[in-house]
Amino acid sequence: MDRMFPELLGINDAPNRLLDTKTGSIGRSLPTRILVEGPRKEQTFLDFGQKPLATKPCPECGMAYQRGREEDEALHARFHRNWQRQQTRLLSWTKSVSTKDEESAESVELPSQLLEKRGDIQQTKATATIHIVDPRGASRRELQRALEVLNVANDHLGAVHVSAADMAQRQRKIFLYVSPRSQVLGCVLAEMISSARRVVSTGSSPATAIECAGDPCQAVCGISRVWVAPSARRCGVATQLIKIVCKRFVYGCAIDPALVAFTQPTSDGRALAEHVFGRKDFLAYAED
């Protein structure tokens, strides 16, 4: 008879010993099996103490799926490819879209970190273009395309969409960072404001919610949205955008960075403001 292990089967020694009539040896009786009606179940995952499998969203496309599960991985791969194609189409900015007015664009040098990140090792210098879309002077087509790009950023930031009427009413301008490959890598929505308050420093760790105190300070420009494409982050794109906003937001007059304020920023936005302005108590304002 097959050897049985009572420690594993949970059976006692004496009551379960039987005499084998063929061999004369004493063995153990097999435990009684309990038959369960219904479909047979199979174990598809092995538990070796690893982290529990959970549904997590993709940091780029936002689709929630279960990593390690073949069906979910394949579904996410198809969705991600379609999402990337859609993003490429929406974030494209061709020369035919922009107006021929040279005052509506500013050339900047593409950051070296971005060149390395994109794999352009042979290219030591490249020029990007920051397009300034003002609803008072932009064509209808240019304004519509700029709003489409801005609303892609709004979807990433979880912010409300902006309309053409809102742009004109609140004296807003859109700044688009366009690469040499005619792809929008970042954008800023700036608006005219009159006052803001100083942010209260909460220590070294940035908080999601900010607290302001003190009397209102004079301010001229408010940064309502700042967004950079995931492939171009941590390369200085947002910093270049803010500098051009200070230089070109008011026609013919550069703005002192001390008169620029951020609306309720994320933790990344707060870190950007502290980096650009060189102080933790930068100006912030409440967006209506």
Side-chain angles (χ1 to χ4, degrees):
M1 294 184 66
D2 295 335
R3 186 179 180 186
M4 308 299 292
F5 295 90
E7 293 82 0
L8 299 180
L9 296 176
I11 56 178
N12 297 325
D13 291 338
N16 297 288
R17 292 184 179 274
L18 296 178
L19 178 63
D20 192 329
T21 56
K22 294 183 179 180
T23 62
S25 61
I26 298 177
R28 300 180 188 273
S29 62
L30 294 175
T32 304
R33 293 187 178 182
I34 301 176
L35 299 179
V36 180
E37 296 182 356
R40 182 180 179 182
K41 297 181 179 180
E42 295 183 359
Q43 183 176 356
T44 57
F45 294 100
L46 296 178
D47 184 6
F48 295 110
Q50 71 272 28
K51 293 182 179 180
L53 295 172
T55 301
K56 294 183 179 180
C58 172
E60 293 186 14
C61 69
M63 177 183 173
Y65 69 103
Q66 194 175 69
R67 289 168 174 80
R69 187 167 186 170
E70 187 176 351
E71 297 85 352
D72 280 25
E73 293 277 2
L75 183 62
H76 169 254
R78 290 195 298 270
F79 180 86
H80 197 91
R81 285 194 298 268
N82 293 334
W83 176 84
Q84 284 182 322
R85 285 194 291 265
Q86 184 184 29
Q87 294 291 298
T88 301
R89 179 181 62 82
L90 290 175
L91 296 178
S92 64
W93 189 268
T94 59
K95 293 182 179 179
S96 60
V97 177
S98 303
T99 59
K100 296 182 179 180
D101 185 9
E102 296 181 356
E103 295 295 328
S104 63
E106 183 86 16
S107 296
V108 295
E109 186 175 331
L110 209 64
S112 58
Q113 304 99 307
L114 186 57
L115 288 173
E116 295 175 3
K117 201 171 185 179
R118 294 162 64 93
D120 298 332
I121 306 298
Q122 304 297 331
Q123 193 172 5
T124 57
K125 283 188 177 182
T127 303
T129 305
I130 296 180
H131 291 273
I132 306 157
V133 182
D134 187 344
R136 295 172 294 180
S139 65
R140 184 176 180 180
R141 182 186 179 190
E142 183 181 21
L143 179 58
Q144 185 63 34
R145 281 293 296 120
L147 286 173
E148 289 178 358
V149 173
L150 176 63
N151 287 327
V152 169
N154 285 330
D155 291 337
H156 281 263
L157 297 171
V160 297
H161 283 203
V162 177
S163 64
D166 182 69
M167 288 284 298
Q169 182 180 2
R170 302 180 61 170
Q171 302 183 52
R172 288 177 157 181
K173 294 181 181 180
I174 301 175
F175 293 75
L176 301 174
Y177 193 103
V178 182
S179 72
R181 300 176 183 176
S182 301
Q183 285 292 309
V184 178
L185 300 181
C187 71
V188 166
L189 176 63
E191 61 184 354
M192 188 73 70
I193 60 174
S194 58
S195 63
R197 294 178 183 271
R198 289 286 175 194
V199 173
V200 177
S201 178
T202 57
S204 58
S205 60
T208 302
I210 62 173
E211 181 182 351
C212 298
D215 296 329
C217 304
Q218 181 186 4
V220 176
C221 176
I223 305 297
S224 177
R225 312 277 198 282
V226 180
W227 175 80
V228 176
S231 61
R233 289 174 185 169
R234 308 291 181 184
C235 295
V237 171
T239 302
Q240 287 184 323
L241 276 167
I242 299 298
K243 289 181 179 179
I244 297 301
V245 169
C246 295
K247 181 180 178 181
R248 299 291 301 274
F249 180 72
V250 178
Y251 181 77
C253 178
I255 301 175
D256 187 340
L259 300 177
V260 177
F262 272 62
T263 189
Q264 178 72 41
T266 61
S267 57
D268 289 338
R270 181 168 187 163
L272 171 65
E274 293 176 357
H275 171 72
V276 171
F277 302 132
R279 55 191 303 173
K280 293 184 178 295
D281 59 339
F282 58 90
L283 291 177
Y285 71 102
E287 189 175 17
D288 297 332

